[in-house]
């Protein structure tokens, strides 16, 4: 059944639509979910072609004025109620807890009252070393401290830190600062 562009589409019917796309035509098939004459938008529910098991579906918005032809596949109306899958609440809760934990870890990487340069140095160091903020000081390995203005000579070790840890932090600090300078991110 062919229709003219003045006829509104019949919602709840399966159809093949021929659509004009920049001089070419495309044929899409699905169920007409709805049509809004004010915006000239037709909503088509397309079934997943390769997904016969889950019967996934997608919604496609089509400018109705670009439809050249509508061919209804059957005279019967189809049930267009969305298919909802059961939500695994335990899995959802685990994902929420993990997301909150990750967000907390990311939030702890943001220094309070520190300069942009200090934050960039911290972020660069934290990619390879375990770091945290203690006010405006960067703490590495829980015992090595980098104080403002975050230069090699500003690295100090506590009672538990070894010379290897201190020299490693100094080496990585200078390497990261050189990379940031080369990228124009610090002075």
């Amino acid at each position: 059944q062919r229709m003219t562009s003045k006829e509104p589409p019949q919602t709840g019917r399966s159809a093949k639509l021929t659509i004009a796309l920049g001089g070419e035509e495309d044929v899409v098939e699905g169920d007409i979910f709805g049509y809004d004459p004010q915006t000239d938008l037709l909503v088509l529910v397309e079934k997943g072609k390769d997904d016969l098991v889950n019967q996934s579906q997608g919604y496609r918005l089509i400018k109705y004025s670009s439809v050249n032809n509508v061919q209804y596949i059957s005279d019967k109306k189809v049930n267009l109620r969305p298919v909802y899958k059961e939500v695994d609440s335990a899995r959802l809760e685990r994902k929420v807890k993990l997301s909150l934990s990750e967000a907390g870890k990311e939030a702890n990487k943001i220094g309070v009252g520190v300069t942009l340069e200090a934050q960039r140095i911290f972020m660069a160091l934290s990619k390879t070393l375990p770091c945290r903020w203690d006010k405006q000081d960067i703490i590495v390995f829980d015992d090595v401290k980098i104080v403002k203005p975050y230069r090699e000579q500003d690295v100090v070790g506590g009672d538990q830190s070894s010379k290897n840890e201190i020299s490693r932090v100094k080496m990585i600090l200078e390497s990261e600062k050189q990379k940031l300078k080369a990228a124009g991110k610090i002075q």
Side-chain angles (χ1 to χ4, degrees), residues 85-173:
K85 294 182 183 179
E86 188 175 321
V87 175
D88 181 349
S89 58
R91 181 173 177 238
L92 181 62
E93 191 172 325
R94 285 190 305 271
K95 281 186 156 191
V96 167
K97 283 182 181 179
L98 179 63
S99 293
L100 288 174
S101 172
E102 291 297 317
K105 288 177 187 174
E106 289 300 311
N108 287 335
K109 289 182 179 182
I110 299 171
V112 178
V114 299
T115 64
L116 181 59
E117 181 174 323
Q119 185 63 51
R120 286 182 171 154
I121 291 169
F122 179 91
M123 295 307 284
L125 285 171
S126 69
K127 290 178 185 174
T128 55
L129 298 172
C131 299
R132 63 180 170 83
W133 285 105
D134 180 25
K135 297 181 181 131
Q136 293 187 346
D137 298 334
I138 299 172
I139 307 297
V140 186
F141 295 125
D142 286 325
D143 201 41
V144 177
K145 185 184 284 191
I146 308 171
V147 297
K148 220 170 154 180
Y150 315 104
R151 299 169 303 187
E152 188 176 343
Q153 60 263 35
D154 300 317
V155 177
V156 292
D159 297 336
Q160 303 298 317
S161 56
S162 69
K163 290 185 192 277
N164 287 341
E165 286 176 339
I166 294 170
S167 62
R168 181 173 176 210
V169 170
K170 286 181 177 183
M171 179 188 71
I172 293 173
L173 172 65

Side-chain angles (χ1 to χ4, degrees), residues 33 36 60 91:
F33 184 78
D36 179 21
R60 186 178 215 181
R91 181 173 177 238

Side-chain angles (χ1 to χ4, degrees), residues 2-3 17 28 41 56-57 86 104 111 129 136 149 152 169-170 174-175 182:
R2 188 175 164 86
M3 94 180 215
L17 307 176
V28 293
L41 287 177
S56 68
Q57 58 189 26
E86 188 175 321
L129 298 172
Q136 293 187 346
E152 188 176 343
V169 170
K170 286 181 177 183
E174 285 308 304
S175 171

Side-chain angles (χ1 to χ4, degrees), residues 23-51:
E24 295 183 22
E25 287 190 338
D26 188 23
V27 177
V28 293
E29 188 174 327
D31 302 324
I32 299 173
F33 184 78
Y35 170 67
D36 179 21
Q38 288 182 326
T39 59
D40 191 37
L41 287 177
L42 177 136
V43 180
L44 187 72
V45 179
E46 293 182 300
K47 296 266 191 270
K49 293 178 180 94
D50 299 327
D51 192 3

